Amino acid sequence: MELFELSASEIVEGIKAKKFKAQEVVESCLARVKGVDGKVKAFLRVFEEAVLNQARQVDGKVAQKKPLGKLAGVPIAIKDLITIQGTETTCGSKILKNFISPYDATVIQKLKAEDAVFIGKTNMDEFAMGSSTENSSFFPTRNPWDLERVPGGSSGGSAAAVSAGMAPLALGSDTGGSIRQPAALCGVVGLKPTYGLVSRYGLVAFASSLDQIGPFSRDVRDNALLLSVIAGYDPADSTSVQVQSKDYVKGLDGNLKNLRMGVPKEYFIEGLDKEVGRKIEEAISVFKSLNVTIREVSLPHTRYAVSTYYIIAPSEASANLARYDGIRYGLSTRGDGTGLLDVYEKTRGQGFGSEVKRRIMLGTYALSSGYYDAYYGKAQRVRTLIKQDFDQAFKEVDIILSPTSPTAAFKLGEKVSNPMQMYLSDIFTIPCNLAGIAGISIPCGQTASGLPVGLQLLARPFEEETLLKAAAAFEKEHPWPPMAVPS
Ligand code: GLN
């Protein structure tokens, strides 16, 4: 076994027990990046020198018998919309090329405090808008299980990096499925925390009422470990919620007796791939064998979720992205005109890609006077109905189970010319963001051609512990292949 294959928990233990050094772990992951990332292209930037220095500092602490953090020496990959002080943050967009972050995001401060080391920034759909990572301004990322296919998105780089063994952990963000869907397509664990559990300070905003940062890992234990580090109240984020910090690893053991799960009847829709459907049925049998009671639940407003999301998310995005004006951040195209408007137009015209422009136009239209009530106001009311569906269902069950994505990984180029097709990739993940609840995707098998299939579990707000416990029990009963071998 090589060091890059170890889980984060094993790395921390091994470093503490002096079985190996943090520097050796980092060297092994860097060698893996060199070996496979030419094909996968998960990283926008690799911090070769800096990460080795950080690892040496951890080794120094070991030598001096100083206390070590919970993630001592663990290499972590960061989606390129979370700021690390003094380094570039591009959000996968040309408009932010060369923009250097003046401060650390709260999650980065927390990771530093626990001695994690930062291996690099990962590729993503521009401003997190997309489901395939093909909307990156720089290059597409490929699925490590099949290089002709997409890794999902928008956190495709983070999912691919973890899946191919380039880092045991990564951070992503999820506005409508951007952690869970790529986790499903790449065969890793991805968790979207309850809105307000993880600070958004230093996360570049896409749709502020939906965005959450969350962990990627290859096993459930590591996911719980990383969540324990990043969760918690932060006065710098006004939507952060004051909840008791938890050690999510402690809650992993134990049986699932008395746990009630619901399967929404609306989720077994026409567009659901047959093989994916079969794997979900198998997963349901696994939970039954673990003494979980399974029953049907109804989420009748689910059918409006995608339409609702595509009013709310673009509306918030159009406001959030107004700040990229060619004056304050990154790219500035002055052209031959002299006026301020000219700078705005040229910079935004050249700096944003077509999907981002489409969202800004949708959002600006939906918010314009005379249309606000008909679109944004109405969407907000439907959002409440979607939330109430969940409240109702969670009176009867503790967890809602569904596929994460209607299909396994699709081919590069397959959906780029049809945005509606692409939007439908998130049909099962979007309701969770609209309702602000907790969700996780775990691997539950592979299709006949070897592509991973993801199982989504949803829980009441702040019940990540229940999700992780159910996921851990499933993993034990139904282990999944540890990592992809890109070829
Ligand atoms: N795919 C969805 C979108 O394009 C969700 C993206 C996300 O969660 N950031 O908006």
Side-chain angles (χ1 to χ4, degrees), residues 79 128-131 153-154 173-178 206 309-310 359 426:
K79 185 177 182 181
M129 297 172 187
S131 309
S154 64
S173 66
D174 191 313
T175 304
S178 280
F206 162 12
Y309 174 86
Y310 278 97
R359 306 280 177 111
D426 301 311

Side-chain angles (χ1 to χ4, degrees), residues 159-204:
V162 171
S163 151
M166 294 186 263
L169 297 178
L171 287 184
S173 66
D174 191 313
T175 304
S178 280
I179 292 174
R180 288 159 291 153
Q181 185 259 14
L185 272 45
C186 289
V188 296
V189 183
L191 183 138
K192 186 209 83 85
T194 304
Y195 187 75
L197 181 64
V198 176
S199 169
R200 293 182 298 114
Y201 181 71
L203 167 71
V204 179

Side-chain angles (χ1 to χ4, degrees), residues 165-310:
M166 294 186 263
L169 297 178
L171 287 184
S173 66
D174 191 313
T175 304
S178 280
I179 292 174
R180 288 159 291 153
Q181 185 259 14
L185 272 45
C186 289
V188 296
V189 183
L191 183 138
K192 186 209 83 85
T194 304
Y195 187 75
L197 181 64
V198 176
S199 169
R200 293 182 298 114
Y201 181 71
L203 167 71
V204 179
F206 162 12
S208 312
S209 76
L210 302 160
D211 301 338
Q212 268 290 289
I213 296 175
F216 282 101
S217 61
R218 289 188 294 266
D219 66 34
V220 176
R221 190 187 176 84
D222 275 8
N223 212 275
L225 176 63
L226 181 50
L227 183 66
S228 309
V229 170
I230 61 172
Y233 174 67
D234 178 12
D237 172 359
S238 63
T239 58
S240 170
V241 176
Q242 224 145 358
V243 283
Q244 189 69 36
S245 325
K246 272 188 197 158
D247 181 346
Y248 292 96
V249 179
K250 277 202 184 130
L252 288 180
D253 295 329
N255 64 51
L256 304 187
K257 224 170 130 202
N258 299 328
L259 196 76
R260 299 162 307 165
M261 281 194 190
V263 181
K265 60 175 187 219
E266 295 82 3
Y267 278 38
F268 286 80
I269 46 152
E270 255 170 61
L272 181 67
D273 177 87
K274 286 210 174 61
E275 271 189 290
V276 172
R278 234 175 285 133
K279 293 291 154 197
I280 303 305
E281 298 291 348
E282 276 173 39
I284 293 175
S285 327
V286 171
F287 280 116
K288 279 187 183 153
S289 76
L290 294 169
N291 292 323
V292 173
T293 5
I294 310 261
R295 68 162 76 160
E296 191 177 82
V297 290
S298 176
L299 301 168
H301 297 93
T302 286
R303 48 198 282 241
Y304 306 114
V306 173
S307 334
T308 305
Y309 174 86
Y310 278 97

Side-chain angles (χ1 to χ4, degrees), residues 54 58 61 69 71 76 83-87 103-118 229:
Q54 290 159 7
V58 172
K61 280 193 176 178
L71 291 175
I76 181 163
T83 59
I84 303 181
Q85 187 176 28
T87 71
Y103 61 86
D104 277 334
T106 298
V107 291
I108 299 295
Q109 293 168 22
K110 286 175 178 272
L111 288 166
K112 284 184 175 170
E114 297 296 343
D115 295 321
V117 299
F118 301 90
V229 170

